[in-house]
Amino acid sequence: MYATPGTHPYILPLGLLHDSTDRGPLWDPALNALTYTYNHTSSVLLPSTLTPTAPTEWFFFNGHWGDKFYPIDDDRQYEFVGEYHY
């Protein structure tokens, strides 16, 4: 999502990747927002009155977040112009 139409480069070496956008439809991101209140003293997260059915289970997830890291000597990992990919 970009505020202006045009070419928007990614931060990659040599300008290898960019998005080209037009004006597009007007979109209000507040329509998709979920809002919460959090009490940091008691660690209680509740949906706000604006979105009372917003889920809260994700907040207490104890599993691993993010992608798995592979060492550089793993066959699935490769380096291209200073960036690592797998």
Side-chain angles (χ1 to χ4, degrees):
M1 176 170 69
Y2 300 101
T4 58
T7 300
H8 305 277
Y10 287 86
I11 301 176
L12 285 177
L14 310 174
L16 295 173
L17 185 62
H18 68 273
D19 285 338
S20 296
T21 63
D22 61 11
R23 183 169 171 243
L26 183 61
W27 175 64
D28 183 359
L31 297 176
N32 292 4
L34 299 176
T35 57
Y36 299 88
T37 60
Y38 179 70
N39 182 322
H40 66 88
T41 305
S42 62
S43 294
V44 173
L45 177 79
L46 296 171
S48 76
T49 56
L50 297 174
T51 56
T53 60
T56 58
E57 297 81 16
W58 60 269
F59 188 76
F60 302 100
F61 178 70
N62 287 323
H64 175 76
W65 285 90
D67 295 331
K68 184 174 180 179
F69 174 78
Y70 295 106
I72 192 61
D73 60 351
D74 189 301
D75 290 338
R76 295 168 288 184
Q77 181 88 342
Y78 65 93
E79 183 263 337
F80 178 72
V81 193
E83 300 290 324
Y84 292 94
H85 305 274
Y86 60 91

